[in-house]
Amino acid sequence: MAIRKLFKNTYRISEWGPFGPVKMYLLIGSEKALLIDCGYGKIDLKKIIGKLTDKPVTLLLTHGHIDHARGCIAFDDIYLDQDDFDVYRKHSDIEFQKEYFRKTVERGKIKKLTFDTFDLGDRKVSIVKTAGHTKGSICVIDPYSRIAFLGDTINPYDVWLGLEESTSVEEFQKSLKRLLHEINNNRIDHLYSGHNTLPMKQKKILDFICLCDKIINNEVKGKKTDKGICKGYKAKYKSAALIYKER
């Protein structure tokens, strides 16, 4: 476990587990705190946060996968996009957990995400639906720190659209264009995903949009790949790499 301050009242908490390192982000306002994702659930996240703030904490899940949502049992106020409820149910199932962990944990009491902004007092964030990696994926835009928190929508490695719960390349591209619009409107400087240590820039999103164009227009044909739970074709363009389902 590691904690790093990214900006005033903005922290990254790193945890290691079966899918490698995962990143959680704590945003503290004058009245409330927002936790973006809760990791594998192997660390006492509530205790760690208690040393950083005494504000009431709301947990917002970028999607329902086990490496981002397993630790939510420690929290009371938890939100997830409804389109990922089935994903969370699958990944929090006891038998599914046993494939990766010796000890299992109970499910959290998840509430449906019904708002697109969240007010922390002196700090307001916006939430962008970014269906792609999963149908219910979201990103969080924070003008206060000028950071966008992207979950698994974009990362420095392969973006996986080859999962059962992933969307089409076309829908993913629409999500990226919507995300880029919000990033530009809010003058965001840095992009952090659920797995990367170094920030990314807007060019990463532009490269992914271009890659989607090339796939859609049959200008690029990916190489067949099998990552176990993610199967499909892998294509690259500049800094972007995408695994997508057979078209």
Side-chain angles (χ1 to χ4, degrees), residues 139-158:
C139 295
V140 179
I141 307 293
D142 179 31
Y144 177 86
S145 64
R146 298 177 77 166
I147 295 174
F149 303 94
L150 308 185
D152 280 356
T153 294
I154 291 287
N155 62 60
Y157 320 109
D158 304 339

PDB file of all heavy atoms in Angstrom, residues 139-158:
ATOM      1  N   CYS A 139     -16.253   8.191 -15.742  1.00  0.00           N
ATOM      2  CA  CYS A 139     -15.054   8.954 -15.410  1.00  0.00           C
ATOM      3  C   CYS A 139     -15.469  10.144 -14.561  1.00  0.00           C
ATOM      4  O   CYS A 139     -16.626  10.581 -14.612  1.00  0.00           O
ATOM      5  CB  CYS A 139     -14.345   9.442 -16.676  1.00  0.00           C
ATOM      6  SG  CYS A 139     -13.694   8.118 -17.717  1.00  0.00           S
ATOM      7  N   VAL A 140     -14.531  10.662 -13.782  1.00  0.00           N
ATOM      8  CA  VAL A 140     -14.811  11.787 -12.888  1.00  0.00           C
ATOM      9  C   VAL A 140     -13.925  12.970 -13.285  1.00  0.00           C
ATOM     10  O   VAL A 140     -12.705  12.824 -13.389  1.00  0.00           O
ATOM     11  CB  VAL A 140     -14.558  11.406 -11.415  1.00  0.00           C
ATOM     12  CG1 VAL A 140     -14.843  12.595 -10.498  1.00  0.00           C
ATOM     13  CG2 VAL A 140     -15.421  10.207 -11.015  1.00  0.00           C
ATOM     14  N   ILE A 141     -14.547  14.119 -13.495  1.00  0.00           N
ATOM     15  CA  ILE A 141     -13.853  15.343 -13.891  1.00  0.00           C
ATOM     16  C   ILE A 141     -13.789  16.274 -12.682  1.00  0.00           C
ATOM     17  O   ILE A 141     -14.829  16.633 -12.119  1.00  0.00           O
ATOM     18  CB  ILE A 141     -14.590  16.053 -15.048  1.00  0.00           C
ATOM     19  CG1 ILE A 141     -14.843  15.095 -16.226  1.00  0.00           C
ATOM     20  CG2 ILE A 141     -13.821  17.290 -15.491  1.00  0.00           C
ATOM     21  CD1 ILE A 141     -13.619  14.637 -16.946  1.00  0.00           C
ATOM     22  N   ASP A 142     -12.589  16.677 -12.300  1.00  0.00           N
ATOM     23  CA  ASP A 142     -12.404  17.527 -11.121  1.00  0.00           C
ATOM     24  C   ASP A 142     -11.703  18.833 -11.514  1.00  0.00           C
ATOM     25  O   ASP A 142     -10.476  18.904 -11.559  1.00  0.00           O
ATOM     26  CB  ASP A 142     -11.579  16.780 -10.068  1.00  0.00           C
ATOM     27  CG  ASP A 142     -11.337  17.619  -8.825  1.00  0.00           C
ATOM     28  OD1 ASP A 142     -12.210  18.447  -8.496  1.00  0.00           O
ATOM     29  OD2 ASP A 142     -10.276  17.438  -8.190  1.00  0.00           O
ATOM     30  N   PRO A 143     -12.462  19.894 -11.772  1.00  0.00           N
ATOM     31  CA  PRO A 143     -11.841  21.179 -12.141  1.00  0.00           C
ATOM     32  C   PRO A 143     -10.937  21.748 -11.047  1.00  0.00           C
ATOM     33  O   PRO A 143      -9.994  22.484 -11.350  1.00  0.00           O
ATOM     34  CB  PRO A 143     -13.054  22.088 -12.383  1.00  0.00           C
ATOM     35  CG  PRO A 143     -14.188  21.159 -12.672  1.00  0.00           C
ATOM     36  CD  PRO A 143     -13.931  19.945 -11.840  1.00  0.00           C
ATOM     37  N   TYR A 144     -11.215  21.435  -9.786  1.00  0.00           N
ATOM     38  CA  TYR A 144     -10.435  21.945  -8.654  1.00  0.00           C
ATOM     39  C   TYR A 144      -8.955  21.571  -8.796  1.00  0.00           C
ATOM     40  O   TYR A 144      -8.066  22.409  -8.656  1.00  0.00           O
ATOM     41  CB  TYR A 144     -11.019  21.388  -7.364  1.00  0.00           C
ATOM     42  CG  TYR A 144     -10.284  21.764  -6.102  1.00  0.00           C
ATOM     43  CD1 TYR A 144     -10.559  22.951  -5.438  1.00  0.00           C
ATOM     44  CD2 TYR A 144      -9.335  20.910  -5.544  1.00  0.00           C
ATOM     45  CE1 TYR A 144      -9.903  23.299  -4.270  1.00  0.00           C
ATOM     46  CE2 TYR A 144      -8.666  21.239  -4.382  1.00  0.00           C
ATOM     47  CZ  TYR A 144      -8.955  22.439  -3.739  1.00  0.00           C
ATOM     48  OH  TYR A 144      -8.292  22.765  -2.580  1.00  0.00           O
ATOM     49  N   SER A 145      -8.695  20.296  -9.068  1.00  0.00           N
ATOM     50  CA  SER A 145      -7.311  19.823  -9.237  1.00  0.00           C
ATOM     51  C   SER A 145      -6.878  19.801 -10.695  1.00  0.00           C
ATOM     52  O   SER A 145      -5.713  19.547 -10.994  1.00  0.00           O
ATOM     53  CB  SER A 145      -7.160  18.420  -8.649  1.00  0.00           C
ATOM     54  OG  SER A 145      -7.966  17.481  -9.364  1.00  0.00           O
ATOM     55  N   ARG A 146      -7.861  20.021 -11.593  1.00  0.00           N
ATOM     56  CA  ARG A 146      -7.646  19.942 -13.044  1.00  0.00           C
ATOM     57  C   ARG A 146      -7.169  18.539 -13.434  1.00  0.00           C
ATOM     58  O   ARG A 146      -6.319  18.354 -14.294  1.00  0.00           O
ATOM     59  CB  ARG A 146      -6.689  21.037 -13.525  1.00  0.00           C
ATOM     60  CG  ARG A 146      -7.262  22.417 -13.262  1.00  0.00           C
ATOM     61  CD  ARG A 146      -6.349  23.549 -13.634  1.00  0.00           C
ATOM     62  NE  ARG A 146      -6.337  23.762 -15.084  1.00  0.00           N
ATOM     63  CZ  ARG A 146      -5.831  24.855 -15.654  1.00  0.00           C
ATOM     64  NH1 ARG A 146      -5.327  25.815 -14.897  1.00  0.00           N
ATOM     65  NH2 ARG A 146      -5.822  24.981 -16.957  1.00  0.00           N
ATOM     66  N   ILE A 147      -7.784  17.557 -12.765  1.00  0.00           N
ATOM     67  CA  ILE A 147      -7.488  16.150 -13.024  1.00  0.00           C
ATOM     68  C   ILE A 147      -8.772  15.433 -13.433  1.00  0.00           C
ATOM     69  O   ILE A 147      -9.850  15.706 -12.892  1.00  0.00           O
ATOM     70  CB  ILE A 147      -6.903  15.455 -11.776  1.00  0.00           C
ATOM     71  CG1 ILE A 147      -5.542  16.046 -11.407  1.00  0.00           C
ATOM     72  CG2 ILE A 147      -6.773  13.945 -11.993  1.00  0.00           C
ATOM     73  CD1 ILE A 147      -4.959  15.509 -10.103  1.00  0.00           C
ATOM     74  N   ALA A 148      -8.655  14.511 -14.389  1.00  0.00           N
ATOM     75  CA  ALA A 148      -9.739  13.594 -14.730  1.00  0.00           C
ATOM     76  C   ALA A 148      -9.337  12.196 -14.269  1.00  0.00           C
ATOM     77  O   ALA A 148      -8.217  11.751 -14.522  1.00  0.00           O
ATOM     78  CB  ALA A 148     -10.014  13.605 -16.224  1.00  0.00           C
ATOM     79  N   PHE A 149     -10.260  11.522 -13.594  1.00  0.00           N
ATOM     80  CA  PHE A 149     -10.019  10.169 -13.077  1.00  0.00           C
ATOM     81  C   PHE A 149     -10.806   9.197 -13.956  1.00  0.00           C
ATOM     82  O   PHE A 149     -12.034   9.254 -14.021  1.00  0.00           O
ATOM     83  CB  PHE A 149     -10.450  10.088 -11.614  1.00  0.00           C
ATOM     84  CG  PHE A 149      -9.744  11.108 -10.746  1.00  0.00           C
ATOM     85  CD1 PHE A 149     -10.336  12.344 -10.497  1.00  0.00           C
ATOM     86  CD2 PHE A 149      -8.493  10.842 -10.214  1.00  0.00           C
ATOM     87  CE1 PHE A 149      -9.688  13.296  -9.707  1.00  0.00           C
ATOM     88  CE2 PHE A 149      -7.837  11.784  -9.428  1.00  0.00           C
ATOM     89  CZ  PHE A 149      -8.433  13.007  -9.174  1.00  0.00           C
ATOM     90  N   LEU A 150     -10.089   8.306 -14.632  1.00  0.00           N
ATOM     91  CA  LEU A 150     -10.662   7.573 -15.767  1.00  0.00           C
ATOM     92  C   LEU A 150     -10.992   6.110 -15.510  1.00  0.00           C
ATOM     93  O   LEU A 150     -11.499   5.439 -16.418  1.00  0.00           O
ATOM     94  CB  LEU A 150      -9.705   7.667 -16.968  1.00  0.00           C
ATOM     95  CG  LEU A 150      -9.247   9.063 -17.374  1.00  0.00           C
ATOM     96  CD1 LEU A 150      -8.406   8.995 -18.635  1.00  0.00           C
ATOM     97  CD2 LEU A 150     -10.432  10.005 -17.563  1.00  0.00           C
ATOM     98  N   GLY A 151     -10.710   5.588 -14.316  1.00  0.00           N
ATOM     99  CA  GLY A 151     -10.964   4.167 -14.096  1.00  0.00           C
ATOM    100  C   GLY A 151     -10.209   3.345 -15.119  1.00  0.00           C
ATOM    101  O   GLY A 151      -9.005   3.538 -15.331  1.00  0.00           O
ATOM    102  N   ASP A 152     -10.912   2.436 -15.795  1.00  0.00           N
ATOM    103  CA  ASP A 152     -10.295   1.629 -16.859  1.00  0.00           C
ATOM    104  C   ASP A 152     -10.733   2.068 -18.253  1.00  0.00           C
ATOM    105  O   ASP A 152     -10.507   1.357 -19.231  1.00  0.00           O
ATOM    106  CB  ASP A 152     -10.637   0.143 -16.666  1.00  0.00           C
ATOM    107  CG  ASP A 152      -9.755  -0.521 -15.620  1.00  0.00           C
ATOM    108  OD1 ASP A 152      -8.838   0.133 -15.113  1.00  0.00           O
ATOM    109  OD2 ASP A 152     -10.002  -1.696 -15.297  1.00  0.00           O
ATOM    110  N   THR A 153     -11.371   3.238 -18.340  1.00  0.00           N
ATOM    111  CA  THR A 153     -11.795   3.723 -19.661  1.00  0.00           C
ATOM    112  C   THR A 153     -10.602   3.920 -20.576  1.00  0.00           C
ATOM    113  O   THR A 153     -10.614   3.532 -21.750  1.00  0.00           O
ATOM    114  CB  THR A 153     -12.588   5.038 -19.510  1.00  0.00           C
ATOM    115  OG1 THR A 153     -13.812   4.761 -18.812  1.00  0.00           O
ATOM    116  CG2 THR A 153     -12.909   5.649 -20.867  1.00  0.00           C
ATOM    117  N   ILE A 154      -9.558   4.543 -20.038  1.00  0.00           N
ATOM    118  CA  ILE A 154      -8.292   4.721 -20.754  1.00  0.00           C
ATOM    119  C   ILE A 154      -7.169   4.394 -19.775  1.00  0.00           C
ATOM    120  O   ILE A 154      -7.233   4.749 -18.607  1.00  0.00           O
ATOM    121  CB  ILE A 154      -8.115   6.174 -21.228  1.00  0.00           C
ATOM    122  CG1 ILE A 154      -9.098   6.523 -22.347  1.00  0.00           C
ATOM    123  CG2 ILE A 154      -6.691   6.416 -21.721  1.00  0.00           C
ATOM    124  CD1 ILE A 154      -8.774   5.903 -23.680  1.00  0.00           C
ATOM    125  N   ASN A 155      -6.156   3.701 -20.255  1.00  0.00           N
ATOM    126  CA  ASN A 155      -4.964   3.477 -19.440  1.00  0.00           C
ATOM    127  C   ASN A 155      -3.739   3.425 -20.352  1.00  0.00           C
ATOM    128  O   ASN A 155      -3.878   3.414 -21.571  1.00  0.00           O
ATOM    129  CB  ASN A 155      -5.102   2.208 -18.576  1.00  0.00           C
ATOM    130  CG  ASN A 155      -5.253   0.962 -19.407  1.00  0.00           C
ATOM    131  OD1 ASN A 155      -4.377   0.633 -20.203  1.00  0.00           O
ATOM    132  ND2 ASN A 155      -6.350   0.240 -19.231  1.00  0.00           N
ATOM    133  N   PRO A 156      -2.551   3.399 -19.788  1.00  0.00           N
ATOM    134  CA  PRO A 156      -1.346   3.424 -20.628  1.00  0.00           C
ATOM    135  C   PRO A 156      -1.077   2.111 -21.359  1.00  0.00           C
ATOM    136  O   PRO A 156      -0.180   2.043 -22.178  1.00  0.00           O
ATOM    137  CB  PRO A 156      -0.213   3.699 -19.625  1.00  0.00           C
ATOM    138  CG  PRO A 156      -0.874   4.123 -18.373  1.00  0.00           C
ATOM    139  CD  PRO A 156      -2.208   3.474 -18.370  1.00  0.00           C
ATOM    140  N   TYR A 157      -1.849   1.084 -21.032  1.00  0.00           N
ATOM    141  CA  TYR A 157      -1.608  -0.240 -21.594  1.00  0.00           C
ATOM    142  C   TYR A 157      -2.713  -0.567 -22.595  1.00  0.00           C
ATOM    143  O   TYR A 157      -3.235   0.320 -23.253  1.00  0.00           O
ATOM    144  CB  TYR A 157      -1.538  -1.264 -20.458  1.00  0.00           C
ATOM    145  CG  TYR A 157      -0.802  -0.741 -19.244  1.00  0.00           C
ATOM    146  CD1 TYR A 157      -1.477  -0.439 -18.069  1.00  0.00           C
ATOM    147  CD2 TYR A 157       0.575  -0.495 -19.298  1.00  0.00           C
ATOM    148  CE1 TYR A 157      -0.803   0.071 -16.969  1.00  0.00           C
ATOM    149  CE2 TYR A 157       1.260   0.008 -18.201  1.00  0.00           C
ATOM    150  CZ  TYR A 157       0.566   0.290 -17.033  1.00  0.00           C
ATOM    151  OH  TYR A 157       1.229   0.801 -15.941  1.00  0.00           O
ATOM    152  N   ASP A 158      -3.064  -1.822 -22.712  1.00  0.00           N
ATOM    153  CA  ASP A 158      -4.174  -2.205 -23.584  1.00  0.00           C
ATOM    154  C   ASP A 158      -5.498  -1.865 -22.907  1.00  0.00           C
ATOM    155  O   ASP A 158      -5.719  -2.222 -21.749  1.00  0.00           O
ATOM    156  CB  ASP A 158      -4.167  -3.721 -23.846  1.00  0.00           C
ATOM    157  CG  ASP A 158      -2.853  -4.217 -24.421  1.00  0.00           C
ATOM    158  OD1 ASP A 158      -2.107  -3.395 -24.978  1.00  0.00           O
ATOM    159  OD2 ASP A 158      -2.581  -5.424 -24.300  1.00  0.00           O
TER     160      ASP A 158
END
